[in-house]
Amino acid sequence: MSKAKNVTVIPATLNIHTKTPTKERVRRRVAAYARVSTDSEEQLTSYEAQVDYYTRFIQKNPDWDFVEVYTDEGISAVNTKRRDGFNRMIRDALAGKIDLIVTKSVSRFARNTVDSLTTIRKLKEAGCECFFQKENIMTFDSKGELLITIMSSLAQEESRSISENVTWGQRKRFSDGKVSIPYGQFLGYRKGADGLPEIVPEEAEIVKRIYREFLQGKSTNAIAAMLTEEGIPTPGKKTVWQRATVESILRNEKYKGSALLQKSFTVDFLTKKTKINEGEVPQYYVEDSHPAIIEPWEWEQVQVEMERRKNSRNRHHQTSPFSRKIICADCGDIFGAKTWHSTDRYRRVIWQCNGKFKGEHKSAPLCPADAHGHGLH
């Protein structure tokens, strides 16, 4: 028989995660994270209650030093990119300013499994532990990561379910013909007492003017410059109008009292990425859904004119809605604007055939119509 080996166990003296002495009573710098996902009054109360609760919870523990309650209000937890409070907390923890983060649950931390696990592993490497109260999970525990993986996956599926329910609800509203308008970014309407859109008279006059000026020949750039110069605020309450803003007003069917619903849709519930609906999901067109600011025939006329200008090679030089529209019945050429008596009180603009003087001998009219003095006054 071989002789038994004499083995002496040398106990660990340092915590494997924090590198602090195991037998020494170490004070921990503790922060909390609180978040609510909407701006409603009910959730605001919950938000304030969470901040108050965690401040007291940390301060009453004699072994903890209170750092801060990091907060995000009205932000979704599906991903961490736009959560300023959360991201600042992680930066402070990775910089060695926090030893322990306390939060209500895994779903408060993140509903994206990848984000959750990646963040927790980074914190673990930096010696910062997380404590999830509802699930009673400590991330330095040997079973902590397995439990967090399971809980994060459940939270992610919950987000998927919520997103699908919201999408279903929106499409049900669309199929019922219920129209919603982003009033804060929309000129001419406000939410009425019955919850339906109602016209704002002074803003409606601006919309009517935009349509009128466009049909009278002004370009969208010229209209934008005019509105900016006159100090009229944009739909988003800015001081400078852009061509694209004017075009969006001219193209929006809501101004004729109709609504095309589901023009865009959410592609991924995790990233919240949206795209223009090009036939991937149903659309719903609702006629006479709310009071019109622009008459339907006028709106249609604007669409035709926009397409005509878009397709015309000379669209940047047009000053009148009659440009390139009046065709001579005699020679087939285009009528153009001509000014008579430009320097005296008899000044007037008429439309004459451009084929009047073409060719080498300009003294003789080529077009029979102009030979007889025909023109439009």
Side-chain angles (χ1 to χ4, degrees):
M1 264 182 90
S2 60
K3 187 179 177 180
K5 296 178 181 178
N6 186 20
V7 179
T8 302
V9 178
I10 303 172
T13 58
L14 294 177
N15 184 295
I16 192 172
H17 301 295
T18 64
K19 312 302 180 188
T20 56
T22 54
K23 292 185 178 180
E24 189 177 306
R25 187 175 179 179
V26 180
R27 294 184 66 81
R28 306 183 79 180
R29 295 163 297 175
V30 183
Y33 177 66
R35 178 190 62 79
V36 291
S37 56
T38 70
D39 296 323
S40 68
E41 188 174 339
E42 181 182 349
Q43 290 282 39
L44 180 60
T45 303
S46 169
Y47 169 84
E48 293 170 345
Q50 285 185 61
V51 173
D52 181 64
Y53 169 78
Y54 283 115
T55 302
R56 294 173 182 272
F57 179 75
I58 295 170
Q59 288 178 340
K60 74 179 181 182
N61 191 312
D63 294 330
W64 289 355
D65 289 327
F66 176 73
V67 178
E68 184 181 341
V69 178
Y70 295 84
T71 60
D72 283 311
E73 183 182 349
I75 303 293
S76 168
V78 174
N79 64 63
T80 61
K81 290 182 181 178
R82 295 187 299 153
R83 295 161 62 192
D84 295 336
F86 179 87
N87 293 330
R88 186 167 63 86
M89 176 183 70
I90 300 303
R91 285 196 301 270
D92 287 349
L94 296 178
K97 299 177 182 179
I98 304 171
D99 301 315
L100 175 65
I101 295 172
V102 180
T103 193
K104 184 178 179 180
S105 68
V106 174
S107 65
R108 293 292 90 184
F109 203 69
R111 284 183 175 161
N112 180 326
T113 308
V114 174
D115 276 349
S116 185
L117 291 176
T118 302
T119 303
I120 287 168
R121 285 171 184 168
K122 284 182 180 178
L123 293 172
K124 203 171 182 179
E125 289 173 7
C128 180
E129 188 172 19
C130 295
F131 173 46
F132 301 103
Q133 279 187 302
K134 183 179 178 181
E135 297 85 4
N136 195 29
I137 297 174
M138 298 289 288
T139 55
F140 283 178
D141 186 275
S142 59
K143 297 177 183 178
E145 186 162 318
L146 173 60
L147 292 170
I148 288 167
T149 302
I150 295 170
M151 299 307 298
S152 294
S153 297
L154 292 173
Q156 181 171 312
E157 285 308 304
E158 182 188 358
S159 285
R160 185 193 302 277
S161 177
I162 290 171
S163 177
E164 288 174 353
N165 288 340
V166 169
T167 300
W168 182 90
Q170 287 177 335
R171 290 180 183 170
K172 179 66 169 64
R173 282 172 49 83
F174 293 158
S175 63
D176 290 342
K178 294 179 180 177
V179 177
S180 60
I181 292 177
Y183 297 103
Q185 298 287 327
F186 209 90
L187 193 69
Y189 290 102
R190 63 185 166 216
K191 190 174 183 178
D194 56 359
L196 299 175
E198 71 175 18
I199 294 174
V200 182
E202 57 273 18
E203 292 183 3
E205 286 305 315
I206 298 170
V207 174
K208 290 177 181 178
R209 183 181 176 191
I210 290 171
Y211 275 73
R212 185 170 61 250
E213 296 281 359
F214 183 78
L215 286 176
Q216 288 176 355
K218 277 194 175 178
S219 68
T220 50
N221 274 323
I223 295 171
M226 174 192 70
L227 296 172
T228 300
E229 185 178 350
E230 294 181 12
I232 297 171
T234 69
K237 306 299 182 273
K238 295 180 180 179
T239 56
V240 179
W241 283 76
Q242 303 294 335
R243 173 185 57 80
T245 307
V246 175
E247 286 186 359
S248 70
I249 290 174
L250 291 170
R251 289 197 179 278
N252 201 311
E253 77 289 340
K254 289 185 177 67
Y255 288 114
K256 66 169 179 171
S258 300
L260 179 63
L261 307 178
Q262 199 153 248
K263 294 177 182 177
S264 62
F265 67 100
T266 302
V267 179
D268 187 348
F269 80 97
L270 288 176
T271 62
K272 298 296 183 185
K273 181 181 178 181
T274 61
K275 76 173 292 290
I276 294 173
N277 185 2
E278 297 175 308
E280 297 90 340
V281 295
Q283 288 187 315
Y284 307 87
Y285 191 80
V286 187
E287 295 187 50
D288 301 320
S289 59
H290 56 280
I293 292 176
I294 302 298
E295 291 294 334
W297 64 265
E298 186 178 0
W299 187 89
E300 296 293 346
Q301 197 173 34
V302 164
Q303 308 318 301
V304 171
E305 177 63 11
M306 289 187 80
E307 287 303 309
R308 190 191 66 77
R309 293 192 196 185
K310 180 181 176 182
N311 297 326
S312 173
R313 288 176 298 177
N314 301 319
R315 61 185 182 274
H316 298 298
H317 303 290
Q318 294 166 2
T319 57
S320 169
F322 297 113
S323 297
R324 302 185 65 81
K325 285 183 178 178
I326 306 173
I327 308 299
C328 181
D330 291 294
C331 72
D333 211 326
I334 297 169
F335 271 52
K338 306 291 184 296
T339 303
W340 284 2
H341 299 281
S342 60
T343 59
D344 59 39
R345 62 193 181 96
Y346 298 106
R347 184 182 187 279
R348 65 193 301 187
V349 175
I350 68 159
W351 289 79
Q352 283 185 314
C353 177
N354 287 334
K356 178 179 180 180
F357 297 111
K358 283 185 179 178
E360 296 181 1
H361 305 288
K362 295 186 178 180
S363 59
L366 297 181
C367 176
D370 276 297
H372 296 91
H374 295 162
L376 297 179
H377 300 259

